[in-house]
Amino acid sequence: MAVRAVRGAVQLERDDAGHMDEQVGALLTAILERNDLTADDLISIWFTATPDLHSDFPAAAARKLGNAFADVPLICAQELDIEGAMPRVVRVLAHIESDKPRADIAHVYLGAAAALRKDIAQ
């Protein structure tokens, strides 16, 4: 089984912990579903958040999804503060085990975040 990487992002409407929980949960659920993944397929997940998000850690939202993320290593970092960048964005880089070829991995960009990577968003 190969190690693959799955990218994704979501733009939050506001900096609110409950809203972050909902949106990050939706993003992670979509990544799992679109790639036919189970909790056992997850190796680790990196989250980044733009500097304007202060309400909570995206990894905390993942932990609230339950057992699927209970023993998956998660880490958060801050995105670069680039002038003109899309605000209130949480990005994900998930490392997975999968038999799928790299070209068949479904990268997930929800809502307005689809504009970030039109080349790979599915």
Side-chain angles (χ1 to χ4, degrees):
M1 186 144 333
V3 173
R4 300 286 184 224
V6 183
R7 290 289 317 271
V10 64
Q11 183 183 39
L12 278 61
E13 294 175 14
R14 60 192 175 283
D15 184 20
D16 172 79
H19 182 59
M20 182 178 292
D21 289 349
E22 292 169 8
Q23 295 301 303
V24 170
L27 177 60
L28 293 174
T29 299
I31 287 172
L32 292 176
E33 289 175 355
R34 293 183 193 178
N35 287 287
D36 299 318
L37 299 172
T38 67
D40 289 337
D41 299 321
L42 299 171
I43 297 170
S44 64
I45 303 175
W46 281 81
F47 295 92
T48 63
T50 51
D52 51 1
L53 293 175
H54 307 281
S55 61
D56 205 355
F57 296 100
R63 295 281 185 227
K64 292 175 185 172
L65 289 176
N67 291 336
F69 297 92
D71 63 352
V72 177
L74 308 175
I75 192 164
C76 297
Q78 188 176 76
E79 274 294 323
L80 296 173
D81 191 10
I82 304 297
E83 187 174 328
M86 184 180 287
R88 300 176 316 281
V89 174
V90 173
R91 291 175 174 85
V92 171
L93 175 62
H95 301 97
I96 63 168
E97 291 181 322
S98 176
D99 288 328
K100 287 185 177 186
R102 190 180 326 200
D104 291 345
I105 298 296
H107 303 283
V108 180
Y109 290 78
L110 299 180
L116 294 171
R117 289 298 305 264
K118 292 178 183 177
D119 57 326
I120 64 172
Q122 298 175 353

